[in-house]
């Protein structure tokens, strides 16, 4: 029998009881509940969106004669759209397939098996959290997504506390894709005219967590979003998407393509990883690199999974424009702050494009908060 509940009961069933969007769909749902219907300006029209068709970047060529060309391509992508895809990244295809399989296995469990990781119930809430949408308590329209988030502290904690079905493969993915993130960070920092040092990776990407996102089939995908418009708060995100597609990015600065301000789809490339520039790197670069505003569409045909690794600063790290960059630019466009403050602000609001960056921007009343030497 199909689930028929009012908005309040839907929220209780999906969010509080931990049935998730998948539990709602499995009940025989025939149409999207009102609680999930997005305002018309937030919906994604697949027919109007263009595909961002560009060759993936071959990371292995950073070690060869084409290094300068590869560096140029990475920098251009970071300066314009904030997204690019990489191949020959060092992760085995078998690992990536196992990771997607593990995500499906976790979410295909019964609601009771997943609900043990709900906030307030999880035996290790600082390391593992299962949930739905983004900040459901703050959202007028919920997102059509369930997720599992696994925070890394050390190998022993991960193997002890992360879910049995996915801990081994998720840990391997975290370790290997962290090296991809480190490589990208070194390239981008160096191209700012700043000498890259090993401590930077620990400072700016010292906190790591893997999410497994699950987007169940949706009876009315044109009314919903899997994830609303947002940019990531961290430094770099390394994303594995499956072959279904549905990831859209807003072009911020690419004047040459004629797509500035448009939403484009990032089509899946077999074996590739998606690299996503986050807010922290935009701030460190004093605005030269652009964090990518992106969102996810749902589908009526197949459930979709994606697995992002978020590489973010340590919570106690001071973040602001790198002093050499701000000095060269003549001013700092962002203030200095503890990353924990930024994180708390980010998670206190529903997704709303790149509005989270307003927290860090220097305005008329705080333009003396961060002065370069």
């Amino acid at each position: 029998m199909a689930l028929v509940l009012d908005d309040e009961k839907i929220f209780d069933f999906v969010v509080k009881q931990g049935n998730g969007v998948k539990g709602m769909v499995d009940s025989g749902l025939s149409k999207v509940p009102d609680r999930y219907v997005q305002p018309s300006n937030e919906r994604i029209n697949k027919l109007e969106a263009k595909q961002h068709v560009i060759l993936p970047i071959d990371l292995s060529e950073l070690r060869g004669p084409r290094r300068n060309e590869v560096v140029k391509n990475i920098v251009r992508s970071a300066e314009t759209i904030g997204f690019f895809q990489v191949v020959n990244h060092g992760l085995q295809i078998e690992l990536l397939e196992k990771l997607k399989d593990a995500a499906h296995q976790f979410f295909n469990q019964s609601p009771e098996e997943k609900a043990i990781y709900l906030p307030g119930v999880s035996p290790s809430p600082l390391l593992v959290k299962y949930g739905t949408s983004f900040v459901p308590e703050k959202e007028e329209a919920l997102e059509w997504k369930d997720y599992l988030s696994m925070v890394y502290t050390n190998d022993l904690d991960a193997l002890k506390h992360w879910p049995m079905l996915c801990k081994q493969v998720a840990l391997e993915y975290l370790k290997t894709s962290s090296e991809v993130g480190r490589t990208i960070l070194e390239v981008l920092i160096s191209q700012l005219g700043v000498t890259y040092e090993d401590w930077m990776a620990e400072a700016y990407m010292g906190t790591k967590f893997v999410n497994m996102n699950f987007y169940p089939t949706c009876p009315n995908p044109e009314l919903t979003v899997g994830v609303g418009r947002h940019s990531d708060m961290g430094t770099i995100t390394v994303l594995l998407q499956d072959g279904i597609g549905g990831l859209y990015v807003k072009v911020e600065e690419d004047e040459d393509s004629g797509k500035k301000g448009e939403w484009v789809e990032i089509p899946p490339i077999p074996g590739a990883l998606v690299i996503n520039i986050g807010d922290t790197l935009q701030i460190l670069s004093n605005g030269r690199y652009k964090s990518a505003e992106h969102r996810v569409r749902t589908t009526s045909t197949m459930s979709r999974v994606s697995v992002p690794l978020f590489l973010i600063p340590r919570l106690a790290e001071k973040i602001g424009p790198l002093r050499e960059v701000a000095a060269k630019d003549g001013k700092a466009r962002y203030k200095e702050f503890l990353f924990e403050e930024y994180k708390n602000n980010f998670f206190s609001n529903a997704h709303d494009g790149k509005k989270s960056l307003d927290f860090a921007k220097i305005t008329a009343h705080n333009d003396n908060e961060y002065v370069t030497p």
Side-chain angles (χ1 to χ4, degrees), residues 13 46 54 85 89 96 113 115 201 216 279 306 312 344 356 359:
F13 178 83
K46 184 178 181 180
I54 189 169
Q85 301 198 61
H89 36 60
L96 303 182
E113 290 172 300
D279 291 349
S306 68
I312 71 174
N344 290 341
S356 55
F359 175 87

Side-chain angles (χ1 to χ4, degrees), residues 24 48 101 119 157 179 207 217 231 248 283 323:
M24 185 171 58
E48 291 182 358
D101 290 345
D157 281 347
E179 291 305 310
T207 301
T217 54
S231 54
Y248 292 79
I283 293 165
R323 293 186 179 273

